[in-house]
Amino acid sequence: MAKLGRAERVAYIVKTLVERPGEIIPLSYFAQRLGVGKSSISEDLAAVKAALEAAGSGTLRTVPGAAGGVAYWPLPSPAEQEEVLERLCEMLSAPERILPGGFIFMTDLITSPAWTARIGEIFAAHFRPQRPTCVLTVETKGIPLALMTARALNVPMVVARREGRVTEGPQVTISYVTGSRGRIETLTVGIRSIPRAARVLIIDDFIKAGGTARGLVDLVRQFEGAEVVGIGVLIQTAQPERKRVEGYLSLLTLEEVDEERGRVQIRPSRSVEKE
Amino acid sequence: MAKLGRAERVAYIVKTLVERPGEIIPLSYFAQRLGVGKSSISEDLAAVKAALEAAGSGTLRTVPGAAGGVAYWPLPSPAEQEEVLERLCEMLSAPERILPGGFIFMTDLITSPAWTARIGEIFAAHFRPQRPTCVLTVETKGIPLALMTARALNVPMVVARREGRVTEGPQVTISYVTGSRGRIETLTVGIRSIPRAARVLIIDDFIKAGGTARGLVDLVRQFEGAEVVGIGVLIQTAQPERKRVEGYLSLLTLEEVDEERGRVQIRPSRSVEKE
């Protein structure tokens, strides 16, 4: 690469870091590619740090030592988080989203790359202190949110399935009772998918009675040394108040869907952390 | 925000652009937040452009006019693409991945946020000239790849499901014959999920006989004015040579799985574009 000035070097460094969230990149990686000494890279990183601090969004972690380097963690500011949640509520309350039976059409939002990326960063910001080592969800609708959360945390994502598949190898299967319909369902996950002594963050799109979340918690219990360190859901229903899991984080609360009047009441969850 | 120097401004601009791939951000957005004139922002962008060009990875598009601004498109260099594909082949040929029946365990890779992000950028780089307006896949294993491709293209992702759901609203369902097992399967997608006159890019993890890909193509045909503009799969099997769809892009070719000797032969597809 031709020798670049400071601004150009900073552009290259930020691009690399932001495209690989959470990955520790050695300073020598940049020094080599940009043809400058590590001390120049350190000065470049100081400029990056100053910019992130001024914006209050995203953070740089420097890890010292031989295996050290620098990593970028997405960290939306409280104002950015609030803006995302308010905007989601606005979109979800559109009357044309009401489906027969009082359901809300939300597939477009929970499969949107842009929205799930933003929501994933909010989940990651909340759960990073719990140091999760993987994100677990259940097929199908939880996958985009879980993937983007896992991306922002730089950990693997694991998908529990309704039915086992030969392509998963040996599997663990549990049965559980769905909260809302009282049906028996199964959840299955590949034995090699959950790492030893995993610290599991459960992510899903929706919680009503909490049967599925409970099932996922029970599934994790089958793995020696594995532990659920958090549960995050995008939307909880206000009713039933008592869910089958406790201490989960919900971002939005769906108060009511009035099919007749075509009104949806949804708001950012009051106590975002309910421990 | 406190007044920042050029390097700090560049850091903020690149962070914002890279976190929102393909989104056109007005220069006034940056000017306002950074407290400088638009001409300073233009100079900052020149530095960003120079850095991307020197790195040969990623590109900046400037859109003139009232609705104009600047957008960042991820665009891995040929060397980066080759490196990703070689590394994937290396990992996928590990003998411990062989499952009974000659299947390969690849769930960890096709659900990995980091790997799917890289593969999604490769797909996006190939199909961007076809100007897709949405990415279509089928649950479950295609979702992470499709989501990351959609993210790199800044378009919505649509998931066809095996069974309809009330939460999807009105749906279109087709039946098709799976190529490998000769079974009748169904694919269903929400009517409001595929935009009018959509230019659909189909993305999936695996193609053997091509029955599912054929089914997805047939599903798109049910939508007026919709058109399949490309099909991308991560892995194709060498056999059967003739698939039920033509002109797809496969990144890797699985030649053989020898269960007895514990050998997997997989390589980057020779003619990446087979039109």
Side-chain angles (χ1 to χ4, degrees):
Chain A
M1 212 184 285
K3 206 125 186 167
L4 301 172
R6 156 133 314 154
E8 286 82 5
R9 288 202 307 268
V10 163
Y12 179 78
I13 291 170
V14 174
K15 169 202 179 301
T16 307
L17 290 169
V18 172
E19 282 189 335
R20 293 148 73 170
E23 203 178 306
I24 299 167
I25 301 177
L27 266 54
S28 58
Y29 176 96
F30 294 119
Q32 220 168 48
R33 269 163 186 75
L34 297 167
V36 294
K38 280 210 251 178
S39 59
S40 293
I41 301 295
S42 289
E43 285 169 41
D44 297 343
L45 288 170
V48 177
K49 208 161 188 154
L52 295 178
E53 269 164 23
S57 167
T59 172
L60 221 56
R61 287 282 159 80
T62 315
V63 181
V70 61
Y72 169 75
W73 290 111
L75 189 66
S77 69
E80 285 171 326
Q81 296 191 29
E82 204 177 308
E83 198 189 316
V84 168
L85 300 183
E86 291 289 356
R87 185 78 189 90
L88 283 171
C89 286
E90 205 179 290
M91 289 187 289
L92 286 166
S93 2
E96 59 270 25
R97 287 191 175 266
I98 300 178
L99 297 171
F103 293 95
I104 296 185
F105 179 75
M106 49 184 228
T107 307
D108 57 334
L109 296 177
I110 59 172
T111 60
S112 150
W115 286 107
T116 54
R118 290 182 188 121
I119 300 163
E121 288 180 3
I122 296 178
F123 280 136
H126 278 274
F127 290 112
R128 194 168 291 126
Q130 269 69 52
R131 293 173 291 111
T133 59
C134 72
V135 172
L136 174 67
T137 191
V138 58
E139 63 182 348
T140 296
K141 297 203 292 186
I143 298 175
L145 287 171
L147 185 70
M148 289 302 190
T149 306
R151 178 171 195 266
L153 289 166
N154 191 31
V155 299
M157 172 186 69
V158 180
V159 179
R161 304 191 65 166
R162 299 294 184 180
E163 266 182 75
R165 296 295 149 95
V166 58
T167 49
E168 301 291 323
Q171 296 166 80
V172 172
T173 300
I174 60 149
S175 297
Y176 71 100
V177 179
T178 63
S180 42
R181 287 165 294 177
R183 279 206 324 229
I184 304 281
E185 301 254 14
T186 60
L187 282 175
T188 190
V189 73
I191 285 183
R192 31 180 143 181
S193 296
I194 303 220
R196 265 191 77 79
R199 297 176 59 82
V200 181
L201 170 61
I202 293 172
I203 294 288
D204 211 351
D205 59 323
F206 200 80
I207 189 167
K208 193 171 175 186
T212 303
R214 175 87 261 158
L216 287 169
V217 170
D218 289 344
L219 192 59
V220 173
R221 289 222 177 101
Q222 311 312 313
F223 289 83
E224 212 189 302
E227 181 187 358
V228 173
V229 299
I231 302 175
V233 292
L234 176 59
I235 302 176
Q236 67 172 349
T237 53
Q239 298 303 328
E241 221 175 282
R242 225 187 137 82
K243 314 285 189 202
R244 293 206 185 161
V245 286
E246 281 181 344
Y248 63 88
L249 167 81
S250 88
L251 299 183
L252 307 177
T253 300
L254 180 61
E255 291 287 354
E256 207 196 348
V257 180
D258 186 334
E259 260 188 280
E260 271 185 29
R261 298 192 199 166
R263 269 214 298 250
V264 179
Q265 271 191 292
I266 185 166
R267 55 167 179 76
S269 298
R270 218 156 314 172
S271 69
V272 158
E273 195 84 66
K274 38 182 290 187
E275 246 354 296
Chain B
M1 212 185 285
K3 205 124 185 167
L4 300 172
R6 157 132 314 155
E8 286 81 5
R9 288 202 308 270
V10 164
Y12 179 80
I13 291 171
V14 174
K15 169 200 179 302
T16 307
L17 289 170
V18 173
E19 282 188 334
R20 294 148 73 168
E23 205 179 304
I24 298 167
I25 302 177
L27 267 52
S28 59
Y29 175 97
F30 294 119
Q32 219 168 47
R33 269 164 185 77
L34 296 167
V36 293
K38 280 209 249 178
S39 59
S40 293
I41 301 294
S42 289
E43 285 168 40
D44 298 343
L45 287 170
V48 176
K49 208 159 187 157
L52 295 178
E53 269 165 23
S57 165
T59 172
L60 221 56
R61 288 280 160 80
T62 316
V63 181
V70 60
Y72 169 75
W73 291 110
L75 189 66
S77 68
E80 285 171 328
Q81 296 191 29
E82 202 177 309
E83 198 190 317
V84 167
L85 300 184
E86 291 288 354
R87 185 81 189 88
L88 284 171
C89 286
E90 204 179 291
M91 290 188 289
L92 286 167
S93 359
E96 58 269 26
R97 288 192 175 267
I98 301 178
L99 297 171
F103 294 96
I104 297 186
F105 179 74
M106 49 184 229
T107 308
D108 56 335
L109 297 177
I110 59 173
T111 59
S112 150
W115 285 107
T116 54
R118 289 182 189 121
I119 300 163
E121 289 179 3
I122 295 178
F123 280 135
H126 279 273
F127 291 112
R128 192 169 294 125
Q130 270 70 49
R131 294 174 289 110
T133 60
C134 72
V135 173
L136 173 68
T137 191
V138 56
E139 62 181 348
T140 295
K141 296 202 292 184
I143 299 175
L145 287 171
L147 184 72
M148 289 303 189
T149 306
R151 178 172 196 266
L153 289 167
N154 192 31
V155 299
M157 173 188 67
V158 180
V159 180
R161 304 190 65 166
R162 299 293 185 178
E163 268 179 75
R165 296 294 149 93
V166 57
T167 48
E168 303 289 323
Q171 295 164 82
V172 172
T173 300
I174 61 147
S175 298
Y176 72 100
V177 179
T178 63
S180 43
R181 286 165 296 176
R183 280 205 325 230
I184 304 279
E185 302 253 13
T186 61
L187 282 174
T188 190
V189 72
I191 285 182
R192 31 180 140 180
S193 294
I194 303 223
R196 262 190 78 80
R199 297 176 60 82
V200 181
L201 170 61
I202 294 173
I203 293 288
D204 210 352
D205 60 323
F206 201 81
I207 189 167
K208 194 173 172 184
T212 304
R214 175 87 261 156
L216 288 168
V217 170
D218 288 344
L219 191 59
V220 172
R221 290 225 175 98
Q222 313 311 312
F223 290 83
E224 212 188 302
E227 180 187 357
V228 173
V229 298
I231 303 176
V233 293
L234 176 59
I235 301 176
Q236 69 173 347
T237 53
Q239 299 301 329
E241 221 173 281
R242 227 187 134 81
K243 316 284 192 201
R244 293 207 185 158
V245 286
E246 280 181 346
Y248 63 88
L249 167 80
S250 87
L251 300 183
L252 307 177
T253 300
L254 180 60
E255 291 288 353
E256 205 198 350
V257 179
D258 186 334
E259 259 190 281
E260 270 186 29
R261 298 191 200 170
R263 271 214 297 249
V264 179
Q265 271 190 292
I266 186 165
R267 55 167 178 78
S269 297
R270 217 156 315 173
S271 69
V272 158
E273 196 85 66
K274 37 184 288 184
E275 230 23 278

